[in-house]
Amino acid sequence: MSTKILVTGANGQLGKTIEELYSDNQNGLDFVFVSKTELDITKQKALRLFFNNNDFDYCINCAAYTNVEQAEKTPEIAFKVNAYGVKNLAEVCKEKNTVLIHISTDYVFDGEKEEPYTVEDVPNPINEYGKSKLLGENCIHEILDGYFIIRTSWLYSKVYGKNFYRSILEKAEKEIDLYVTVEQVGCPTDAINLSKYIIQIIETENDNFGIHHFCDRISMTWFDFAKQILQENNIDNKINLVKVNKYRTFAMRPKRSILLEKLN
Ligand SMILES: NC(=O)C1=CN([C@@H]2O[C@H](COP(=O)(O)OP(=O)(O)OC[C@H]3O[C@@H](n4cnc5c(N)ncnc54)[C@H](OP(=O)(O)O)[C@@H]3O)[C@@H](O)[C@H]2O)C=CC1
Ligand SMILES: Cc1cn([C@H]2C[C@H](O)[C@@H](COP(=O)(O)OP(=O)(O)O[C@H]3O[C@@H](C)C(=O)[C@@H](O)[C@H]3O)O2)c(=O)[nH]c1=O
């Protein structure tokens, strides 16, 4: 019998990456991908109806509000999706005995710890996006037993969505000087690697429920990452990359948010 998997928020960078890698439904994995217009996690009744009409073994929740700057100005939008939408999803997963695989973020931490963050470290978010994601995590802990919360960091896809990798390339097309901060240190994570990590949890029938940390294991500043992006695309000699201590933003971001994976 095949394993039925629902992917919510399927039009985002992670959802699209999973779809590209796995939608051919091989190895007994049977995927259903739903975008926000097809299934809005903030609409409780529609969500319940959808789950009542379909059975899933797993739900991979890629739905989120990820605009960190805008979340600071209108936090209610971020909380609606990242906290209360996630609560709705946890409730229907509980009713239908579906294992929820939810994605969270390094931004639940304040970034003041010198060493990498372990899954035992206590979160203390310093921006509204991080606070909304932490409340989403807490709703899952309260409602579900069978769940994975996978915290990742600095996620990027080279082809899908809006992310730092693609922003730098877009800017490089228009500008000769790029100003990038050295204020934060973290681990950029390719959406392809995160997708593989999620799917191997399902394929191996992992039942090590709870919080997991997953990131690509090379830590750097955003400036280092921008340099790497320009080099990779052979445009580092055309662009003047300028190191700045502070890049003006509305939201605060954790200074050091390296995630340490749990060793089993
Ligand atoms: N991007 C990053 O750097 C990081 C992301 N994460 C987490 O990883 C996960 C995936 O992120 P990523 O793929 O980058 O995010 P994206 O912003 O690329 O995708 C999120 C998707 O969710 C959809 N969505 C928004 N609101 C709802 C809703 N109410 N119901 C259903 N779908 C909705 C969005 O649709 P629309 O665009 O139409 O609003 C979008 O297609 C998220 O949980 C995020 O918090 C964790 C660490 C780093
Ligand atoms: C585009 C740009 C950004 N920056 C700075 C601003 C900020 O401090 C830092 C990161 O920029 P961004 O705003 O693109 O990235 P940001 O939205 O902070 O990325 C975060 O997204 C959420 C969803 C997460 O969960 C996090 O893990 C993290 O990936 O780099 C520059 O210095 N120069 C630039 O040209």
Side-chain angles (χ1 to χ4, degrees):
M1 242 188 36
S2 63
T3 306
K4 287 206 77 178
I5 305 161
L6 176 69
V7 180
T8 49
N11 267 357
Q13 62 170 337
L14 180 60
K16 281 274 182 201
T17 307
I18 296 175
E19 187 168 15
E20 185 188 310
L21 293 174
Y22 297 102
S23 65
D24 55 0
N25 289 353
Q26 281 181 3
N27 303 334
L29 302 184
D30 184 1
F31 284 92
V32 173
F33 294 89
V34 282
S35 67
K36 179 181 168 182
T37 41
E38 290 160 322
L39 189 65
D40 184 332
I41 63 166
T42 66
K43 304 224 161 101
Q44 206 175 17
K45 271 191 193 152
L47 194 61
R48 178 154 288 122
L49 189 66
F50 185 86
F51 269 73
N52 282 341
N53 291 333
N54 300 277
D55 289 316
F56 299 104
D57 300 297
Y58 291 90
C59 170
I60 305 174
N61 181 34
C62 299
Y65 186 83
T66 56
N67 186 333
V68 177
E69 288 295 283
Q70 188 58 40
E72 211 60 19
K73 297 172 194 164
T74 51
E76 61 282 2
I77 305 177
F79 276 81
K80 187 175 176 192
V81 182
N82 297 342
Y84 310 121
V86 170
K87 181 170 184 268
N88 293 338
L89 204 51
E91 280 166 356
V92 287
C93 284
K94 172 96 177 170
E95 282 162 25
K96 295 285 295 200
N97 216 9
T98 300
V99 175
L100 178 61
I101 302 183
H102 175 71
I103 316 303
S104 194
T105 173
D106 56 327
Y107 281 20
V108 296
F109 294 113
D110 61 19
E112 296 301 324
K113 191 179 171 197
E114 283 302 315
E115 299 82 39
Y117 284 99
T118 69
V119 295
E120 281 87 27
D121 281 318
V122 179
N124 181 32
I126 56 171
N127 60 38
E128 295 297 330
Y129 164 74
K131 288 176 190 169
S132 69
K133 292 292 291 184
L134 180 60
L135 187 54
E137 286 190 10
N138 289 339
C139 291
I140 295 174
H141 295 309
E142 271 174 33
I143 296 166
L144 286 171
D145 298 315
Y147 66 88
F148 293 88
I149 292 172
I150 303 172
R151 294 190 187 128
T152 190
S153 62
W154 298 23
L155 193 65
Y156 69 94
S157 156
K158 293 179 187 177
V159 280
Y160 301 118
K162 193 172 161 359
N163 58 59
F164 185 84
Y165 191 101
R166 285 161 55 82
S167 299
I168 290 298
L169 287 184
E170 261 173 43
K171 282 192 171 196
E173 270 177 26
K174 296 183 208 133
E175 294 158 35
I176 299 155
D177 295 334
L178 283 186
Y179 295 86
V180 181
T181 182
V182 288
E183 211 185 6
Q184 291 118 34
V185 177
C187 295
T189 302
D190 190 327
I192 293 175
N193 297 332
L194 176 61
S195 302
K196 290 179 179 169
Y197 180 78
I198 294 169
I199 300 305
Q200 64 83 29
I201 284 181
I202 298 174
E203 284 181 332
T204 59
E205 296 178 22
N206 188 329
D207 59 1
N208 190 8
F209 296 134
I211 298 176
H212 291 242
H213 284 175
F214 177 82
C215 61
D216 288 342
R217 291 181 183 164
I218 302 172
S219 62
M220 59 185 82
T221 64
W222 290 110
F223 173 84
D224 298 329
F225 189 30
K227 195 169 167 187
Q228 187 181 302
I229 295 163
L230 297 181
Q231 280 169 350
E232 220 179 273
N233 288 278
N234 298 317
I235 48 173
D236 49 318
N237 52 356
K238 295 191 191 117
I239 306 292
N240 184 28
L241 184 61
V242 186
K243 199 181 270 189
V244 293
N245 287 324
K246 206 157 181 60
Y247 184 87
R248 268 177 73 93
T249 57
F250 209 74
M252 292 205 294
R253 287 162 171 79
K255 284 202 167 28
R256 289 182 68 81
S257 56
I258 300 161
L259 300 174
L260 193 68
E261 288 175 47
K262 187 157 58 178
L263 302 170
N264 292 312

